[in-house]
Amino acid sequence: MIAFVGAGKVATALGNYFRTKGIDVAGYYSRNFGHARQAAEITNTRPFANLQELINSSRMIWITTSDDAIEEVAIQIAALNIPPSENKMFLHTSGVHSTGILLPIKEKGFSTGSAHPLLSFSGEPTTVEKLNHTWFTIENDELTEFFKKTNNPVIKIDGKQKALYHTACSILANYMVTLMDISFSIFEKTGIEKDKIRNAAIPLLESVIQNTQYKAGKDALTGPLKRGDENTIRMHLQSLEKDMPGLVEIYKTLGRETMKMLDDYRLSEILK
């Protein structure tokens, strides 16, 4: 039996997903009981008004609060009068924090861990389906058996590297959205409606992702930098300087990073 402390998008999606895998879910606890009740209704489980009652009901307790709240929750749990048991595990889903943040709980005689799903949780109904193909990053082998039950692949990481690991996740997932928004704003400047370009860009984005799936690094890249088209790059920069000067440095920075990846510095002079 598993349960969740925290009742947001991640907890709700995981609860639904684990139930599809035949894993019993007791329910949810949240400082805002309304959130726990909503998650419980969606997952057909139970909302708990009492944290200790939720913990007593389950063997595996997932802490799915915000990153900044995990330490406070760990201290709160450690202060409860719960008999120590290595058969009861507490784990969090943070990408940036290691299992070490749960030290107050571990010192009380419980197992601790972390499992970070490599997925963007938007609250869409398709999230549960996407979890079937999601990798989880873990620190200890104890969780390997659990994810064998759900048939999810795992990546094992040294907890000391979690901050750097999460930096990579953020660049890949968060800043990709930022880059897309920058691109769409440039398209819009040309007179193309933003809504139209969002739809028109989907095949292009899918082809890029497909390229990176089957090819590594520079082999997946296409475009003027790879070809060494100096005049094309100059025209890009001239158009930005004229119409959107605030984006010139972003373009040049990305260009310089792309040259590093290619190990080709033919166009370094115009991108300096």
Side-chain angles (χ1 to χ4, degrees):
M1 184 76 75
I2 69 173
F4 294 89
V5 179
K9 294 175 183 176
V10 174
T12 305
L14 288 175
N16 261 332
Y17 175 63
F18 291 148
R19 290 185 76 243
T20 69
K21 298 295 182 176
I23 296 169
D24 291 329
V25 178
Y28 296 83
Y29 170 84
S30 173
R31 286 180 294 185
N32 184 321
F33 185 71
H35 292 167
R37 184 168 52 209
Q38 182 179 31
E41 287 174 357
I42 293 171
T43 57
N44 196 27
T45 59
R46 176 188 166 192
F48 286 79
N50 183 282
L51 177 57
Q52 184 157 343
E53 187 182 359
L54 173 131
I55 292 170
N56 288 338
S57 74
S58 305
R59 262 196 80 246
M60 179 182 275
I61 295 89
W62 290 68
I63 299 172
T64 50
T65 62
S66 66
D67 289 348
D68 289 348
I70 294 172
E71 186 173 17
E72 179 186 345
V73 169
I75 293 170
Q76 183 183 356
I77 290 171
L80 296 173
N81 184 24
I82 304 168
S85 170
E86 290 186 357
N87 291 325
K88 191 182 288 288
M89 172 177 255
F90 293 82
L91 67 158
H92 66 70
T93 54
S94 170
V96 72
H97 289 299
S98 72
T99 303
I101 201 169
L102 301 180
L103 183 61
I105 297 174
K106 186 173 184 179
E107 289 177 336
K108 289 292 183 176
F110 299 103
S111 297
T112 56
S114 71
H116 178 246
L118 277 158
L119 184 69
S120 177
F121 289 80
S122 61
E124 296 295 323
T126 56
T127 301
V128 173
E129 170 57 30
K130 289 176 182 174
L131 278 164
N132 281 296
H133 314 289
T134 296
W135 290 65
F136 284 78
T137 301
I138 63 174
E139 293 176 64
N140 47 354
D141 291 327
E142 282 182 77
L143 287 167
T144 304
E145 288 304 313
F146 176 82
F147 286 112
K148 281 182 180 177
K149 294 177 186 176
T150 64
N151 203 30
N152 287 97
V154 297
I155 300 169
K156 191 174 178 185
I157 192 171
D158 182 340
K160 295 174 183 176
Q161 298 296 330
K162 286 291 290 287
L164 187 61
Y165 156 83
H166 196 247
T167 302
C169 292
S170 294
I171 290 172
L172 183 62
N174 307 147
Y175 295 157
M176 180 185 289
V177 176
T178 305
L179 286 173
M180 286 171 60
D181 190 68
I182 290 171
S183 173
F184 292 162
S185 68
I186 297 172
F187 277 121
E188 195 173 21
K189 189 73 174 178
T190 70
I192 301 173
E193 295 174 20
K194 215 167 189 177
D195 288 342
K196 285 187 177 178
I197 195 55
R198 285 182 191 279
N199 292 325
I202 289 172
L204 174 59
L205 291 168
E206 287 177 342
S207 67
V208 171
I209 291 170
Q210 191 171 33
N211 279 346
T212 59
Q213 186 176 0
Y214 297 109
K215 300 175 184 177
K218 62 184 180 182
D219 293 328
L221 188 71
T222 61
L225 260 177
K226 184 169 185 177
R227 295 191 299 266
D229 291 343
E230 182 176 342
N231 286 336
T232 300
I233 300 299
R234 285 190 187 280
M235 290 173 70
H236 289 177
L237 287 169
Q238 287 166 3
S239 66
L240 287 176
E241 285 163 359
K242 175 176 176 289
D243 294 313
M244 305 183 81
L247 297 178
V248 170
E249 282 309 311
I250 292 174
Y251 183 94
K252 286 185 175 181
T253 299
L254 291 169
R256 290 193 293 268
E257 288 301 315
T258 304
M259 285 192 298
K260 285 182 190 177
M261 180 179 68
L262 291 169
D263 194 23
D264 182 345
Y265 298 92
R266 285 176 290 173
L267 303 181
S268 58
E269 188 63 28
I270 60 175
L271 290 170
K272 66 181 182 181

